[in-house]
Every structure is written in C-alpha cells, then in structure tokens.
Amino acid sequence: MKIKVVVHEAEEGGFWGEVPAIPGCASQGETIEELLANLHEAIEGCLSVDVETPVSGGKERILEIAL
C-alpha cells in the first residue's frame, strides 16, 4: 500500500510530516530518513488501534474493505 505524506521543514531544524488520509497521524525527525522511519511507525500505530465495532441502527450497512 502507498500513502501520501506531507513533509515540512521545522523552524527549529529537522522535519515533521503529516498523513492527510489519517487525521492526527504525524511525526518528526532530524533527517528525512529519520522522519520516514518515524512516520512508518506512526502509521502502523494509527492503523492498529482497536476501535469499537459499530452497530447498525437502521438501514445502514457496515462493511469491511481491504486496502
């Protein structure tokens, strides 16, 4: 799977990045390589969070899709 990240230069030095497809998923690093490693870890952490299974309240359908 490929996912886009937005990389910013930090004012105090180094870099920080955010993942627009995953709200709240961001990280930082002193180098681009460190930032990318930290973003990989942040993405894995964000995607591995257990969430409560939603309950259908009417005509909605709950589906799981593979990425």
Side-chain angles (χ1 to χ4, degrees):
M1 167 174 39
K2 291 184 180 183
I3 194 160
K4 291 185 181 185
V5 299
V6 179
V7 176
H8 307 270
E9 288 189 36
E11 290 180 17
E12 62 278 355
F15 302 90
W16 69 279
E18 58 187 320
V19 184
I22 307 172
C25 187
S27 192
Q28 60 84 36
E30 292 299 316
T31 64
I32 291 287
E33 292 78 17
E34 182 181 8
L35 169 64
L36 292 176
N38 291 343
L39 281 171
H40 278 266
E41 187 176 319
I43 292 167
E44 286 179 5
C46 288
L47 294 179
S48 68
V49 173
D50 287 332
V51 294
E52 191 174 314
T53 304
V55 178
S56 178
K59 295 184 179 183
E60 307 90 7
R61 293 182 187 183
I62 299 170
L63 305 173
E64 283 188 22
I65 60 171
L67 300 177

